Amino acid sequence: MDPFSQLFAAYLHTVSNSIAEVYVDSMNTTVTSQSLVYNDTNIRFQHQLWKIKPNSVCSDLEQQATQFSKCTQQAKVMFTELCTQLSSMENLNQRGRSLSNMYCNASLNYKPMVAYISEPKAKTEQELKEKECNLMILRAMQDDSRDVLDKKNQVCSEFR
């Protein structure tokens, strides 16, 4: 292949790749991962076709309930703030308008996971007696000695 043909082939390759990249970028056809820090929380999510994938928001923290809950709640606030900021800007290009729509949709539709973890409440006297009776029934199923049966009957007598 002569140098002119090589140069022309390289030019066509570059132009076609640039057109494809512009199209892919403008339509957001590929899954795009984002990681944004908001109020000291690293919020990770994915989007495609200018829609945030709800299951991807903070998915790296799913195994840690309290951190996951905090992250998803912060993500909801961040989406709302980004929506407000981008919507108030004038002269946004097409990409900016698409981002604005994406964050505004997420602001309206994304449901964060809210988890409150508290101390368990103390068991009542009745619940403790029921638990002891259940344990004795289990023990009697495993050991049919007279001592175990008598103890079970004694503990469970008030539940008959």
Side-chain angles (χ1 to χ4, degrees):
M1 187 182 260
D2 65 76
F4 180 74
S5 296
Q6 286 180 332
L7 181 64
F8 186 67
Y11 171 75
L12 285 178
H13 180 71
T14 302
V15 168
S16 65
N17 280 348
S18 294
I19 292 170
E21 286 173 14
V22 167
Y23 178 75
V24 165
D25 189 43
S26 69
M27 298 305 290
N28 192 231
T29 56
T30 59
V31 175
T32 305
S33 295
Q34 293 275 197
S35 180
L36 302 173
V37 177
Y38 180 77
N39 289 341
D40 297 325
T41 303
N42 188 16
I43 300 169
R44 294 183 177 155
F45 60 94
Q46 295 176 334
H47 61 87
Q48 183 178 23
L49 301 173
W50 299 114
K51 290 187 177 155
I52 291 176
K53 295 176 163 252
N55 292 340
S56 72
V57 178
C58 303
S59 62
D60 57 318
L61 299 172
E62 276 183 320
Q63 298 301 315
Q64 298 138 4
T66 53
Q67 291 94 332
F68 180 65
S69 175
K70 178 185 177 217
C71 180
T72 60
Q73 291 177 57
Q74 287 292 318
K76 174 81 170 186
V77 174
M78 181 187 73
F79 296 150
T80 302
E81 191 171 310
L82 286 170
C83 169
T84 303
Q85 288 178 359
L86 289 170
S87 296
S88 67
M89 297 174 100
E90 294 180 20
N91 300 326
L92 279 179
N93 62 14
Q94 179 61 38
R95 183 170 173 27
R97 284 192 301 274
S98 296
L99 281 170
S100 176
N101 288 335
M102 178 179 78
Y103 288 122
C104 289
N105 283 333
S107 171
L108 294 171
N109 299 317
Y110 179 67
K111 305 285 187 248
M113 196 276 281
V114 179
Y116 297 105
I117 298 174
S118 61
E119 293 294 320
K121 65 177 185 163
K123 294 200 182 292
T124 65
E125 188 68 32
Q126 181 68 19
E127 290 171 327
L128 292 173
K129 287 179 181 178
E130 287 176 13
K131 180 179 178 181
E132 186 178 5
C133 176
N134 289 334
L135 287 172
M136 289 309 301
I137 291 170
L138 182 62
R139 188 170 293 145
M141 289 176 166
Q142 297 169 345
D143 179 358
D144 60 353
S145 69
R146 190 78 207 142
D147 291 339
V148 173
L149 291 174
D150 289 343
K151 176 78 172 165
K152 179 194 83 148
N153 290 335
Q154 177 190 354
V155 171
C156 298
S157 63
E158 69 182 81
F159 300 110
R160 293 184 187 172

